[in-house]
Amino acid sequence: MFKKFLSLEWKQFRRASYFKKGLAIKILMAFIVLYFGGIALAFGAGVFFIAKKAIPDVDPIETVNKFLVFWFLFDLLFRYFMQQLPVMNVKPLMVIPIKRSTVIHFLLGKTSISFFNILPLFIFIPFSIVMLFHGYPVLNVLGWFISVVAITLCLNFTNFLVNKNNVVFYSILTVLAVFVGLEYYNVFKISEPIGNAFNFLYNNPYIALLPIGILVLLYKATFNFIKKGFYLDDAVSKKVKEVNATDLSWLNRFGSVAPFIKNDVKLIWRNVRPKQVMMMSFMFLFYGLFFFTQDTYKEMPALLAFASMFITGGFLISFGQLVPSWDSEYYKMLMSQNIPYKQYLESKWYLMVFAVIISFILATPYIYFGWDIYAMIAAGAVFNVGLNSFITLFGGALNRVPIELNVKAKAFSNTNGFNPVQLLISLPKVFLPMILFYIPYKLIGFNAGLITIALSGVLGIVFRKYIFNFIVNVYKKGKYKTIAAFSEKK
């Protein structure tokens, strides 16, 4: 039966719209995977020597064990945002004589071979091999490695359970921030007791049975969680919710694009996934604290320009990159109406511009770090309005991944997130402001770099009409491909 499931999965992958993307994108993505895989292998092989050089008087395994707690917390946080939980088209399978347990076991098996579980192996396997070459006991290294892999898989199933629970996520985020803060300011080093626990596990390999046992319990908990909702009536039923009307008449001043803006505001207000994006956007406001408080980055103004752009561009990046996926559930109906594409895209643009302006106002406390920093944030805001917003809208024309707005509703809801097109489109967002600042900065000076960034945004605003016409044509050419992609059953 598993062989049949694998055959169905391959056919679904091969026949999907994203499989038909250009060969160049596939080759580029292959190089990116090889690149990051190579970095992980090099880091895994070198972390032993890095730890030994950083703290010569301490055994490298003890140094690594001290920081494993932060690795696992960050891993869980990273999975929440980036890991796309694998799902099957389970509704047709519910009406044929296949055991529920067989389908669920296969579903959980898919989660175990995800990129997020394989990447740590590229780090921990070379590290373990290096330890063996340096004469560490085989049994101890093997027990430690099995424990780390078991904990990684525990995080995989934990993410499956908490991915649809924002309360748990923000609790983990708070715990991580508190631990890092206490560790940084030497108030309480959480790394020491956790490190001692991993040291004890390393010195007593049989303790590896404990994380394995926890893994088995989490697997069973996830299995039961899915099994509770594995009924046809539950899969096809819709929850009825009370909708509170909101007066948005003040948006009528935007003219013909006002109905679209109202629709987006209601979408953000009423659905889980857009609310999550709003919270992520708010977190971007604190991005500069990581760069502006470190003396190291004062000598790297190009990185400061990158940070300044992100402070006001949180909503633009997180919300804008998923245009038009936000409307995927009713995109076919939307495109059947007599609606000009330009008005539809202009409404998204106005929403992103409004968010950039609000973020810039909220970033006023950064004046504490100096007027130069605040001027850099202002230049980044102009760049976001006049250039980055159009790059984001252009990327939306290539993004055909549908979104389920209420991802918390079902056990089988698909949390669509990262996809390769978003990665490729994000490259100019990251490197363009750095290049625009760095070249004039080296040739003329700091103010020239700021003026160049701001001027690029001003030029984008001046030529907004022509840029919009170009983007509209791109959307029109891919209109029916987008409709077909959004119509696919996930």
Side-chain angles (χ1 to χ4, degrees), residues 170-240:
Y170 291 118
S171 299
I172 295 173
L173 179 63
T174 303
V175 169
L176 178 60
V178 170
F179 282 168
V180 171
L182 295 176
E183 186 87 17
Y184 181 80
Y185 291 105
N186 296 318
V187 177
F188 174 71
K189 291 186 173 294
I190 188 64
S191 59
E192 293 183 357
I194 300 296
N196 291 334
F198 277 104
N199 291 334
F200 182 77
L201 187 150
Y202 169 78
N203 294 320
N204 302 274
Y206 61 89
I207 301 296
L209 295 174
L210 180 60
I212 293 176
I214 296 174
L215 174 60
V216 172
L217 293 176
L218 278 173
Y219 184 92
K220 289 183 177 180
T222 308
F223 180 90
N224 293 330
F225 171 73
I226 297 175
K227 192 174 182 180
K228 288 180 180 178
F230 200 91
Y231 295 96
L232 187 60
D233 53 349
D234 185 71
V236 300
S237 63
K238 297 289 184 181
K239 290 186 176 180
V240 179

Side-chain angles (χ1 to χ4, degrees), residues 443-464:
L443 296 177
I444 303 176
F446 181 84
N447 291 333
L450 293 184
I451 292 173
T452 303
I453 292 179
L455 186 60
S456 66
V458 171
L459 290 175
I461 296 173
V462 171
F463 294 101
R464 179 168 70 96

Side-chain angles (χ1 to χ4, degrees), residues 126-146:
F127 178 71
S128 301
I129 293 174
V130 170
M131 286 198 297
L132 292 175
F133 270 108
H134 282 77
Y136 285 77
V138 176
L139 189 60
N140 295 63
V141 174
L142 185 61
W144 179 87
F145 175 76
I146 291 174

Side-chain angles (χ1 to χ4, degrees), residues 23 127 333 427:
L23 180 62
F127 178 71
M333 181 274 294
L427 295 180

Side-chain angles (χ1 to χ4, degrees), residues 323-324 331 341 345 393 396-397 471-479:
V323 172
Y331 195 75
Y341 238 128
L345 294 176
L393 283 178
I471 295 176
V472 167
N473 289 331
V474 174
Y475 270 85
K476 285 182 177 179
K477 288 181 180 179
K479 175 180 178 179

Side-chain angles (χ1 to χ4, degrees), residues 244 246 264-272 274-275 278:
N244 296 321
T246 306
D264 285 330
V265 172
K266 293 175 183 177
L267 179 143
I268 295 172
W269 184 259
R270 295 173 180 175
N271 295 283
V272 174
K275 286 182 180 179
M278 284 291 295

